Amino acid sequence: MDPHIRRDFRSLVLLVGISTISDVMPLINENRYYVTESVKMLQHFIHGYSEEHALLYDDTPLHQYYRGIGLLVTTLNQNEKLKYGIDSDTFGFLIGPMLNSPRRMMGNSELAFRLFQTKRSDFSDVQYVRPSDELYAVNEQRKAYVQSLTSRLFTHIKEEGGGPLDYMVFNARMKEGVAGLLSGNFTQKFGLPSIAFGMDPEGAPRKDIINADVTGTYSLTGSARSPETFDLHGFLSAIDADYPGLIAKWGGHAQAAGITVLAENYERFKEVFTNRYVAIMSERMADQEEPAVTSPFDGEYVLTTEAYDRLVQAGVTHEGERVPLHGHTSVFTNKTLWEAVRFFEELEPFGHGFPKPVFNVAIAMRDVPRIFHMGAEKQHAKLMLTNGLSVIHWQGAELFKRPEPVEMDKAGNPVPDNRVFIVTGELGINEYAGNESLQLIATDVCEIDAV
């Protein structure tokens, strides 16, 4: 193959990496190579890129593609989205969602394609708006829209009663393009497979935000998501085989799928999906031995703190029972932690099939000297621990709130905050003003009782 053609094909690896992450493909074998090379390619565009640099490219398809990547980097930089560096999460949480947002919100991907077709002459138009800026704005609208839908869904489930099992298959008056995101939020919260079907925003009564009555002869298109422990593809394959015609068409893999059912089959499909899942899980539980009392330290690694040292001596109770401190985990001290973090950095990229290491840290609120509240509404919490570790919990300001005014005892002394939490999360390095520090991004928080 001609070296120039080989180079041109190789440059497309960025799109392969974005697609691999966005479609939740396992990060093993060749997929790891594609994502690793994609990250390297994007890092190349970070250094010294500007809108002026975009004019250096000519208007061949390949150079327009390069120009589009550069504009994307420029927009993300200007919105301070790349200040912590680039890794596979940059694809999964920033670039992939941006490129997908027009299809989700407007029903087509024209704007995303236009980004990679930008010409030099476009910059001479005084009214020119970078496609990357438009993509960013549409994605911000998408995030707000999905957040609103998610809040309505969870409120509906709470108010209507029953339980999450009753809502594994649901419909919502929404744009069909965001159905997978809503399904994913349900699965993340409840740990259950789910399918969200999008109803016509204009066709359904406004009061029927969630679970409108499904009647008529039209088709419903839905998106399904599943936790890693459940094979969605095998599950849907079995239903399709046992109930011919119940599903009009579908396709996907173990953790995600697209599915279409006729309106007249919707309720029957929902019943079959739910009952079969309950039967499978009941059978699994019947085959298991009596579960042992588990520890709230359920991560792979534990970070030592003053609270941890006290728990080692005193023991822990959780949900009313005495529990072991932790099982088969590795314990890191402040001296060994930095070396471990550098080692884990060498193992990137992380993702589906090759998850990030999970850490636990015990936090006694009386040991926390400073708490910062972040966000437009001060809804996020950042705890600064005495060992130099910072713990960030998104939407955690209320959980870690200290009483105001400070409660006093009979002697006039402040009453200590005796709450103790086990925080589970992902550990990383925060770089700011040339300094590096360790921070844990919380994914779960469990309050415990110290013995």
Side-chain angles (χ1 to χ4, degrees), residues 87-369:
D87 56 20
S88 59
D89 285 346
T90 308
F91 295 159
F93 294 105
L94 290 174
I95 296 178
M98 280 179 63
L99 295 178
N100 274 329
S101 60
R103 178 184 61 83
R104 296 189 185 280
M105 298 299 290
M106 298 181 288
N108 65 74
S109 300
E110 180 182 346
L111 179 58
F113 281 102
R114 183 149 53 87
L115 171 68
F116 299 109
Q117 296 173 332
T118 306
K119 298 180 179 180
R120 281 189 291 189
S121 58
D122 293 334
F123 292 86
S124 61
D125 186 346
V126 293
Q127 297 183 330
Y128 173 72
V129 178
R130 290 181 301 213
S132 51
D133 290 345
E134 293 183 74
L135 284 168
Y136 186 86
V138 173
N139 192 47
E140 290 299 298
Q141 295 170 10
R142 188 271 309 166
K143 289 194 292 185
Y145 180 65
V146 173
Q147 183 178 9
S148 175
L149 282 172
T150 302
S151 177
R152 293 181 185 183
L153 172 63
F154 293 160
T155 298
H156 178 87
I157 294 173
K158 183 178 180 180
E159 291 179 348
E160 293 298 315
L165 285 171
D166 299 321
Y167 294 90
M168 288 196 298
V169 177
F170 64 92
N171 67 71
R173 186 176 58 81
M174 62 179 170
K175 300 177 186 295
E176 290 184 353
V178 302
L181 303 179
L182 191 58
S183 175
N185 289 343
F186 178 98
T187 293
Q188 183 178 29
K189 181 176 178 64
F190 298 112
L192 299 169
S194 65
I195 305 179
F197 288 93
M199 300 290 286
D200 182 357
E202 302 300 327
R206 292 204 58 84
K207 64 178 181 179
D208 291 323
I209 302 297
I210 306 295
N211 277 349
D213 291 335
V214 177
T215 58
T217 58
Y218 55 93
S219 297
L220 285 89
T221 301
S223 288
R225 297 292 185 270
S226 176
E228 289 194 27
T229 55
F230 190 78
D231 181 5
L232 182 65
H233 186 277
F235 184 71
L236 290 174
S237 294
I239 291 178
D240 200 19
D242 292 345
Y243 297 89
L246 185 61
I247 301 174
K249 60 181 179 179
W250 73 280
H253 52 79
Q255 265 64 63
I259 186 167
T260 300
V261 299
L262 299 178
E264 61 194 53
N265 292 331
Y266 173 79
E267 292 296 338
R268 177 59 175 156
F269 171 76
K270 179 177 180 179
E271 178 184 13
V272 169
F273 187 98
T274 303
N275 290 345
R276 177 167 288 220
Y277 176 80
V278 170
I280 289 175
M281 300 312 294
S282 297
E283 184 177 343
R284 287 185 184 179
M285 293 178 65
D287 292 339
Q288 293 178 353
E289 298 179 358
E290 185 70 22
V293 178
T294 59
S295 168
F297 285 88
D298 57 357
E300 301 166 87
Y301 308 99
V302 173
L303 315 180
T304 60
T305 59
E306 294 175 4
Y308 172 83
D309 294 336
R310 289 196 295 268
L311 291 173
V312 170
Q313 299 297 322
V316 179
T317 59
H318 179 52
E319 296 181 351
E321 297 188 62
R322 182 71 176 261
V323 300
L325 190 60
H326 51 74
H328 304 291
T329 58
S330 299
V331 180
F332 290 103
T333 65
N334 291 345
K335 293 182 180 180
T336 61
L337 186 56
W338 275 95
E339 181 179 344
V341 171
R342 297 297 187 192
F343 170 75
F344 287 128
E345 282 187 329
E346 295 298 319
L347 298 180
E348 294 183 353
F350 297 109
H352 176 57
F354 193 72
K356 289 184 178 180
V358 177
F359 291 82
N360 290 132
V361 60
I363 299 176
M365 293 303 292
R366 65 187 184 188
D367 297 334
V368 180

Side-chain angles (χ1 to χ4, degrees), residues 363-419:
I363 299 176
M365 293 303 292
R366 65 187 184 188
D367 297 334
V368 180
R370 302 180 70 183
I371 301 177
F372 296 96
H373 297 295
M374 308 177 295
E377 301 176 0
K378 304 298 182 183
Q379 71 273 33
H380 311 306
K382 181 176 183 179
L383 284 64
M384 307 298 296
L385 308 188
T386 54
N387 64 354
L389 178 72
S390 61
V391 176
I392 296 177
H393 185 27
W394 308 120
Q395 308 296 332
E398 187 66 26
L399 178 64
F400 293 117
K401 181 173 64 176
R402 299 190 195 268
E404 293 182 5
V406 177
E407 186 180 354
M408 310 297 286
D409 62 19
K410 294 181 179 179
N413 299 314
V415 175
D417 188 342
N418 291 318
R419 291 177 297 162

